[in-house]
Amino acid sequence: MTTTYKILMFTHLITVTPCLFIGAYLLLFSKGTPKHRLIGKIYLSLMFFTAIVSLFIPAHVGSQFLNHFGWIHLFSLLTIYSVPTSILAIKKGNIRVHKFKMVSLYFGALIIAGGFTLAPGRYLHSVFF
């Protein structure tokens, strides 16, 4: 593992881990309050930043595209698309679309993609198993 790879990987890990807890809180508790809006801005900022960082991390497990990207990078693109479109939806008052995008983002980019990070050959697999 190169130093650059380690920096990117740990930056990604440090910014995505709080999103698991923040996102769960936002999904489970009252919506539309000033607290929800503030925590939501923090959550979306972290999600967007971590998705950008992840695009610079080369895939080491599975097939690669362009000698860099793997299937897991599709979740980064999902995030980069979902964050601004969910903000636009709520600014337009479209709560249904905002909710759909936020639930999809949480389960797609955090739960499903997070599950893939536990696959053999990945760093988190070596940490937990």
Side-chain angles (χ1 to χ4, degrees), residues 1-2 4 18 26 34 37 40 48 51 59 74 88-89 98 110 113 115 121 129:
M1 233 186 286
T2 66
T4 303
L26 290 168
R37 289 185 203 121
F48 195 79
L74 293 174
L88 287 173
H98 176 75
L110 292 173
F129 306 106

Side-chain angles (χ1 to χ4, degrees), residues 74-95:
L74 293 174
F75 291 104
S76 302
L77 298 177
L78 166 72
T79 302
I80 291 167
Y81 169 77
S82 295
V83 168
T85 57
S86 69
I87 293 168
L88 287 173
I90 202 63
K91 285 188 180 221
K92 290 180 178 179
N94 196 337
I95 296 167

Side-chain angles (χ1 to χ4, degrees), residues 16-106:
V16 78
T17 301
C19 292
L20 281 168
F21 304 102
I22 296 169
Y25 173 83
L26 290 168
L27 290 175
L28 294 172
F29 293 99
S30 58
K31 315 291 186 267
T33 64
K35 184 177 181 180
H36 177 86
R37 289 185 203 121
L38 173 63
I39 295 171
K41 288 175 186 175
I42 294 166
Y43 172 71
L44 290 178
S45 298
L46 284 169
M47 287 296 289
F48 195 79
F49 181 77
T50 202
I52 296 295
V53 168
S54 70
L55 290 175
F56 292 96
I57 302 171
H60 284 242
V61 176
S63 58
Q64 284 187 339
F65 308 105
L66 301 174
N67 207 26
H68 177 85
F69 300 103
W71 289 105
I72 200 161
H73 286 100
L74 293 174
F75 291 104
S76 302
L77 298 177
L78 166 72
T79 302
I80 291 167
Y81 169 77
S82 295
V83 168
T85 57
S86 69
I87 293 168
L88 287 173
I90 202 63
K91 285 188 180 221
K92 290 180 178 179
N94 196 337
I95 296 167
R96 186 183 59 78
V97 169
H98 176 75
K99 180 180 179 180
F100 174 78
K101 287 179 181 288
M102 291 295 90
V103 170
S104 299
L105 179 65
Y106 186 81

